[in-house]
C-alpha cells in the first residue's frame, strides 16, 4: 500500500497561546484549570465564549469527565468536539485534528486545551492507572513508573551509542539556563553540570535532574482559518506541516528511535523547509535522553550522533540552536497533559514574537514535537509540527 | 423418715458435721477418653466453644456451646449401655428410678496393690478380707474401688501400651459375686471404665459392664478424691443428665461423709 | 554474588514491628493466565493458535494476525537481559520500603520482551532463565534468574520476597502424630528452619515415631489438638508470634460414603478434625501471621495445607472424607484472601492416597510421606500455591481438566 500525499493545510493558522502559570500542588480540580485556560483564550483573542464552535481537550485528572461534560460545565455550544488521551503527543494530535476541522469548515474556531491538577496523591494514582499493559506488566515491577521504564530505554540507548551522562546533562543544563528567564518556571535556581552529575539517582541511569516535576497547570491555543484571524485582528502563525505516528518500529527489541523517524521526510517536504532553516526547536523533554533521540529522529543529525550534536551546539535562547526556550518540562514542570502543549505553545509565542523574556530574536520558523504513552516498554505516540510566524 | 431428719441432714452439711466430697474431674477437652480401635465409632471428645464473652457476639454475657460423648469425663453408665442390659425396663438415664441416684457406698482401698501392679485385679478374697474388717457389704450399696489412679498424670493415667491399656479393675468372678451375692447397686472406679484396661481379654470380656448392666445396675468411672472417703458411712449422690434414652452421661458425683 | 543471609537476631522490643505492605495488585482478567501458571511453578506465555507467535503482556488478540486464539502454553524460559535499572524512589509503599529494587527488560528467545524482577546475579547482555512467581500481593510476576547456578542463589533479597523459604524461619507442624507430620518436621529442619514446633494432640496417647521428635535439637513439642478451640488458642498464645510457616498436617481419613455409613458421628469427626480444626488454627494463628508478613528474615511467610486430591472430585469409596477435603479446599481460598494483605501465601498440596494405615487396602501407586514432606519444602522454596504430589494426584488433575464427567463416572467403581 502506498501512502498518498496529504493535502496541505492551506490557510490554517494558530493563535492565542495561553499558559496558566503552574503550581507544584493544587487543591483545585482539572476542570478548574481547564476553565482558567478557556477564559484566558477568550480574553486574549477578544472573542466571546460562544464564538468557540470546536473544542479539543486533554487531561489525565478529569476523573469521569470527557470533553462532552465540559461543554455543559463551561456553557459552550460546539459543533466539533474531541478528547485526546495521548499524553505527550496530545498537543500535536489536537492541532492536526483541529486544523482539518477548520480547513473543512466543520468548525471556525477550535479551542485546544490541556490541563491537569496535581493533588498530593494524584501523580501516584496516575502511574497506577496508566494503561492496561502498564498495570499488568510494568507497575508491579518496582513501581518506578515512567522513571524506571525510561531508565531501561536510556540505559540501552546510552550503552549502544556510547552516550555519557554528561552528554545528556548538557540538554538539562541548557534548559535550566532558559528557565531562569521564564518567570513562570517552577525551577528557579541555576543548574551546573556538577550539580547535574552529582544528583541523587532515581532509577539508574536516570538521576534527579533527568526527571520532570509533576505539577498543576494548563495550556491552550486557538486554531482557525487565516480569514477568521484577520477578521478578529489576531496575530497568528501558519501551520506548515505535521506528522503523527503510533506504535512505530514494534520489532525493535528496545526503543532507540521514535515514530518521527518514519515520517520526518514528509514533515520537511510538506513544509518546504530543511532542518537548518528552523529558528527554534521545542522537543518533548520528559527525559533529556528522549530529546537527544529526537535530535536524531527529527533530522538534525544521524542516529547515534545525538551526543555529538549536543556537544557541538549551544541549546540556550541566545545559542546557535535555541531549544526548549521556556525551560521545557524539565525546568518549568510537567502539568500532566499540558506538558504536551508546553513546547507548541512556547513555539507559537516565539514565532508571534510575544515570548517576552525568553524571546529568540527574529524567530519565525519553529518545530514542536510530542511524544507519549509509555504503554509498556516504549513510548508509543510521536508527532511534530512546523509553524511559521507572520514575519515569514 | 420425718422431715425433721432431712432438715438435720441439711444443717449437718451446713455446719460441716457432714462433709461433702466432690468425686468429679473437671469436664475439659484434654481429659483422656476411652480408646477403642479406630475402626469403631468413637466417643466425641469434650468441646467447649465460646458463644460470646461480653463482646460483640453478646455484649453482657458469657456462655458456651458444649459437646461431648455420653461416656466422657467423670461419667455414669446405665444398664442400656451394654448388650446384657438392653432389654431391661427403665434401663436408660432418663427412665431409671430417681431414687437409685442416692445410695450408700463401700470404699475398698487397693491403692497399695495398684501402685505395684497396673494390671491389679480386685478378687472375691480381697473383698472378703475387706468385709472381715468392715462388715458385710449391704444390699443396694455402691462399691467404689480406690486405686489412687486419679492422681496420675494423663499419660500414666491412660497407661496405653501397644497391647492396650494397663489399668486396674475387677476380675470376672468378683463382679458376678458382687452383683449376685451382695446385690450392689453399682460399681465405681477411678480409671477410664469400670473394667480393667485388659478386660477385653477376660471371660466374659468386660465383666463389670457385663454383670452390672445385665442385672440393671450402674457404673461410675473417672472418679477422684476416693482417698478422702472412709471405708463405710458414705452416701453417694450420682444423678446423670436426663438424656432421652441415654446410655450414660458426664455428671457431678457428690459423696456425703459423716465427720464423726 | 549473593551474601548468605544471616539468622535474625532477637527482636528489639523497643521497635515497632514493620507492617506488611502489598505490591501493586490490579491485573486484567486475561493476565491471570500467568497467575495460574505461577501458582503451579510453570512458565507459560500466550501463543497464537493461528500463527504461532508468542505474545506478552497478556492480550486479547494476536499482534501478528489479530486472531483471538491466544492460549496460555508452556513456553521456553530462556531470554537475554537487554537492560536493567534500579528503582530507588518508587512511588509505592511496598517497593519504597524495599528500594533499591532491580528490574530489567528481557528479550525472550521465543519473541516477546518482558519486564521482570531480577535476581542479583543477572547481568546485562547475558542469558537469563525466566519464571513466573507470585509476589506478596499474590499476583503473578516475571522473575529473571541467571542461567546457571550461582553461590547462595536462594538468599537473593528480591527472590526471597517471592518465596517462603524455610531457611531461618520457624515452622509449626500441627499434627506430629502422623508419619506425614514427622517427615514434614524432618524436612523443614533439613531445609534450615530455625525451630520446628510440632503439635501433639492427646499427649497421653503414645504414638509411633515419638522418639524422632522428643529431645531433638530445634524441635519443640507443643500440646495441640487443632479440633479443640481452646487448645489452638492456648498454643497460639504461647507461640503464635513465632510461627512463620504453618504446616497443617491434620489427617483424618475414614472410608465410606453415605449409604453404608449409619448416622453422622464419623462425618462429624471428619468435619471436627479437618474443617473445624482448620478454622481453629486459622483463627488462632492467622491474625498474628497476617501482621508479621514483613517482619525481617523470619517474617511470617506461608500456610501449607495437605489436601486429598479427592477434594477436587469425590471418590465414593472415601466419599465423606472427600467432602471434608473439599470443604477445606474451599476454606483455603478464603484463608488465602484473608492472609493476602500480610503477604502470607497459602499453599495447597494435593496428594493421592498416601502410604499410611487408612489407605492400607488401596492398591499402589501411593505417595510416600517423605515425598509429601519434600514437596512441602520445595513448594515453599519456589513460592508455589498449588502442588500435585504423586502420580495419582497428577492424573486426577489431568482427568478433571479433560472431562470432569468421565472422572466422576470412573471414580465410581
Ligand atoms: Zn497470530
Amino acid at each position: 500500500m502506498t501512502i498518498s500525499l496529504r493535502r496541505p493545510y492551506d490557510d490554517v493558522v494558530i493563535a492565542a497561546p495561553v499558559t496558566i502559570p503552574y503550581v507544584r500542588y493544587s487543591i483545585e480540580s482539572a476542570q478548574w484549570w481547564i476553565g482558567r485556560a478557556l477564559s484566558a483564550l477568550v480574553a486574549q483573542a477578544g472573542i466571546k465564549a460562544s464564538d468557540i464552535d470546536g473544542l479539543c481537550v486533554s487531561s489525565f485528572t478529569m476523573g469521569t469527565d470527557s470533553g462532552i461534560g465540559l461543554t455543559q460545565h463551561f456553557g459552550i455550544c460546539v459543533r466539533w468536539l474531541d478528547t485526546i488521551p495521548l499524553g505527550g503527543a496530545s498537543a500535536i494530535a489536537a492541532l492536526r485534528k483541529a486544523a482539518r476541522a477548520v480547513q473543512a469548515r466543520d468548525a471556525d474556531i477550535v479551542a485546544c486545551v490541556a490541563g491537569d491538577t496535581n493533588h498530593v496523591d494524584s501523580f501516584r494514582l496516575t502511574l497506577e492507572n496508566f494503561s492496561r499493559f502498564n498495570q499488568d506488566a510494568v507497575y508491579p515491577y518496582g513501581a518506578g513508573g515512567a522513571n524506571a521504564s525510561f531508565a531501561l530505554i536510556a540505559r540501552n540507548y546510552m550503552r549502544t551509542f556510547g552516550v555519557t551522562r554528561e552528554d545528556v546533562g548538557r540538554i538539562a543544563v541548557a534548559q535550566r539556563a532558559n528557565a531562569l528567564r521564564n518567570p513562570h518556571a517552577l525551577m528557579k535556581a541555576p543548574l551546573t553540570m556538577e550539580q547535574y552529575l552529582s544528583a541523587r539517582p532515581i532509577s539508574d541511569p536516570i538521576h534527579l535532574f533527568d526527571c520532570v516535576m509533576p505539577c498543576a497547570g494548563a495550556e491552550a491555543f486557538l486554531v482557525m482559518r487565516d480569514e477568521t484571524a484577520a477578521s478578529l485582528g489576531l496575530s497568528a502563525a501558519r501551520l506548515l506541516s505535521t506528522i503523527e505516528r503510533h506504535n512505530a518500529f514494534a520489532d525493535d527489541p528496545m526503543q532507540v528511535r521514535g515514530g518521527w523517524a518514519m515520517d520526518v521526510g514528509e514533515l520537511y517536504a510538506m513544509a518546504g523547509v530543511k532542518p537548518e532553516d528552523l529558528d527554534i526547536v521545542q522537543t518533548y523533554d520528559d527525559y533529556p535522553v528522549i530529546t537527544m533521540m529526537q535530535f536524531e529522529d527529527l533530522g538534525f543529525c544521524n542516529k547515534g550522533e545525538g551526543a555529538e550534536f549536543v556537544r557541538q551546539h549551544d541549546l540556550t535562547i541566545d545559542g546557535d540552536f535555541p531549544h526548549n526556550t521556556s525551560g521545557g518540562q524539565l525546568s518549568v514542570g510537567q502539568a500532566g497533559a499540558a506538558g504536551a502543549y508546553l513546547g507548541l505553545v512556547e513555539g507559537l509565542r516565539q514565532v508571534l514574537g510575544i515570548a517576552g523574556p525568553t524571546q529568540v530574536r527574529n524567530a519565525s520558523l519553529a518545530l514542536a514535537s510530542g511524544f507519549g504513552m509509555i504503554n509498556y516498554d516504549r513510548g508509543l505516540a510521536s508527532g511534530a509540527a512546523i509553524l511559521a510566524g507572520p514575519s515569514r | 423418715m420425718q422431715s425433721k431428719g432431712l432438715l438435720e441432714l441439711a444443717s449437718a452439711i451446713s455446719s460441716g458435721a457432714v462433709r461433702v466430697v466432690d468425686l468429679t474431674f473437671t469436664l475439659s477437652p484434654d481429659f483422656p477418653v476411652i480408646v477403642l480401635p479406630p475402626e469403631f465409632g468413637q466417643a466425641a471428645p469434650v468441646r467447649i466453644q465460646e458463644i460470646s464473652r461480653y463482646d460483640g457476639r453478646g455484649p453482657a454475657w458469657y456462655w458456651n456451646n458444649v459437646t461431648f460423648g455420653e461416656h466422657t469425663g467423670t461419667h455414669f453408665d446405665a444398664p442400656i449401655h451394654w448388650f446384657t442390659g438392653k432389654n431391661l425396663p427403665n434401663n436408660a438415664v432418663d427412665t431409671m428410678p430417681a431414687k437409685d441416684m442416692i445410695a450408700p457406698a463401700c470404699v475398698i482401698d487397693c491403692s497399695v496393690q495398684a501402685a505395684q501392679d497396673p494390671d491389679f485385679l480386685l478378687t472375691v478374697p480381697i473383698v472378703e478380707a475387706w468385709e472381715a474388717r468392715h462388715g458385710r457389704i449391704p444390699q443396694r450399696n455402691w462399691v467404689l474401688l480406690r486405686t489412687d489412679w486419679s492422681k496420675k498424670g494423663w499419660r500414666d493415667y491412660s497407661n496405653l501400651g501397644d497391647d492396650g491399656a494397663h489399668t486396674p479393675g475387677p476380675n470376672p468372678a468378683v463382679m458376678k459375686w458382687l452383683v449376685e451375692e451382695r446385690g450392689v447397686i453399682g460399681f465405681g472406679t477411678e480409671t477410664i471404665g469400670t473394667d480393667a484396661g485388659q478386660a477385653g481379654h477376660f471371660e466374659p470380656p468386660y465383666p463389670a459392664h457385663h454383670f452390672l448392666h445385665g442385672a440393671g445396675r450402674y457404673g461410675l468411672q473417672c472418679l477422684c478424691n476416693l482417698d478422702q472417703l472412709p471405708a463405710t458411712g458414705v452416701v453417694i449422690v450420682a444423678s446423670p443428665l436426663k438424656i432421652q434414652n441415654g446410655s450414660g452421661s458426664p455428671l457431678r458425683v457428690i459423696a456425703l461423709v459423716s465427720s464423726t | 554474588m549473593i551474601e548468605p543471609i544471616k539468622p535474625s537476631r532477637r527482636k528489639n522490643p523497643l521497635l515497632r514491628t514493620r507492617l506488611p505492605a502489598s505490591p501493586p495488585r490490579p491485573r486484567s482478567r486475561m493476565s491471570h493466565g500467568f497467575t495460574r501458571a505461577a501458582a503451579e511453578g510453570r512458565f507459560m506465555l500466550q501463543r497464537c493458535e493461528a500463527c504461532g507467535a508468542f505474545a506478552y503482556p497478556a492480550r486479547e488478540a494476536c499482534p501478528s494476525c489479530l486472531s483471538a486464539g491466544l492460549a496460555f502454553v508452556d513456553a521456553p524460559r530462556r531470554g537475554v537481559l537487554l537492560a536493567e535499572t534500579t528503582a530507588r524512589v518508587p512511588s509505592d509503599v511496598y517497593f519504597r520500603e524495599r528500594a533499591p529494587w532491580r528490574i530489567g527488560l528481557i528479550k525472550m528467545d521465543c519473541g516477546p520482551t518482558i519486564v521482570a524482577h531480577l535476581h542479583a546475579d543477572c547481568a546485562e547482555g547475558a542469558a537469563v532463565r525466566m519464571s513466573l512467581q507470585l509476589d506478596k500481593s499474590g499476583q503473578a510476576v516475571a522473575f529473571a534468574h541467571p542461567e546457571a547456578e550461582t553461590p547462595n542463589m536462594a538468599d537473593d533479597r528480591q527472590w526471597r520476597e517471592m518465596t517462603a523459604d524455610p531457611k531461618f524461619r520457624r515452622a509449626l507442624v500441627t499434627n506430629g502424630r502422623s508419619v506425614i507430620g514427622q517427615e514434614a518436621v524432618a524436612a523443614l529442619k533439613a531445609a534450615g528452619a530455625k525451630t520446628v514446633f510440632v503439635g501433639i494432640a492427646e499427649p497421653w496417647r503414645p504414638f509411633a515415631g515419638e522418639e524422632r521428635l522428643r529431645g531433638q535439637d530445634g524441635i519443640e513439642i507443643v500440646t495441640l489438638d487443632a479440633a479443640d478451640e481452646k487448645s489452638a488458642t492456648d498454643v497460639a498464645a504461647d507461640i503464635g508470634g513465632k510461627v512463620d510457616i504453618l504446616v497443617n498436617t491434620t489427617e483424618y481419613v475414614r472410608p465410606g460414603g453415605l449409604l453404608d455409613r449409619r448416622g453422622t458421628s464419623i462425618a462429624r469427626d471428619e468435619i471436627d478434625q479437618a474443617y473445624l480444626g482448620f478454622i481453629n488454627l486459622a483463627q488462632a494463628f492467622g491474625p498474628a501471621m497476617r501482621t508479621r508478613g514483613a517482619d525481617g528474615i523470619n517474617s511470617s511467610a506461608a500456610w501449607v495445607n495437605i489436601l486429598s486430591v479427592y477434594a477436587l472430585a469425590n471418590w465414593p469409596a472415601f466419599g465423606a472424607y472427600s467432602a471434608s477435603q473439599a470443604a477445606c479446599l474451599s476454606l483455603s481460598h478464603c484463608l488465602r484472601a484473608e492472609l493476602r494483605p500480610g503477604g502470607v501465601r497459602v499453599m495447597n498440596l494435593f496428594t493421592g492416597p498416601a502410604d499410611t494405615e487408612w489407605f492400607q487396602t488401596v492398591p499402589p501407586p501411593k505417595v510416600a510421606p517423605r515425598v509429601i514432606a519434600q514437596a512441602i519444602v520445595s513448594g515453599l522454596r519456589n513460592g508455589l500455591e498449588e502442588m500435585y504430589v504423586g502420580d495419582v494426584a497428577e492424573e486426577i488433575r489431568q482427568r478433571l481438566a479433560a472431562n470432569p464427567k468421565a472422572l466422576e463416572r470412573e471414580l465410581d467403581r
Side-chain angles (χ1 to χ4, degrees), chain C residues 48 51 62 64-65 67:
Chain C
C48 178
C51 75
C62 170
S64 301
C65 76
S67 160

Side-chain angles (χ1 to χ4, degrees), chain B residues 43-44 68-77 80-81 93 243-251:
Chain B
F68 47 77
E70 287 174 336
H71 300 264
T72 48
T74 299
H75 67 273
F76 185 93
D77 287 356
I80 197 175
H81 180 41
V93 285
I243 298 166
Q244 186 173 58
N245 208 30
S247 73
S249 93
L251 78 173

Side-chain angles (χ1 to χ4, degrees), chain A residues 351-372:
Chain A
V351 297
L352 294 180
I354 55 169
T358 64
Q359 183 67 50
V360 172
R361 207 171 326 136
N362 301 325
S364 65
L365 194 62
L367 181 151
S369 58
F371 180 63

Side-chain angles (χ1 to χ4, degrees), chain A residues 132 136 141 155 159 204 376, chain C residues 28 60 85 88 113 124 142:
Chain A
R132 166 156 156 187
D136 277 359
Y141 296 84
R155 189 168 168 111
R159 191 187 53 228
D204 319 42
Y376 174 48
Chain C
S28 66
E60 316 289 339
T85 186
R88 295 172 190 276
T113 53
E124 250 177 13

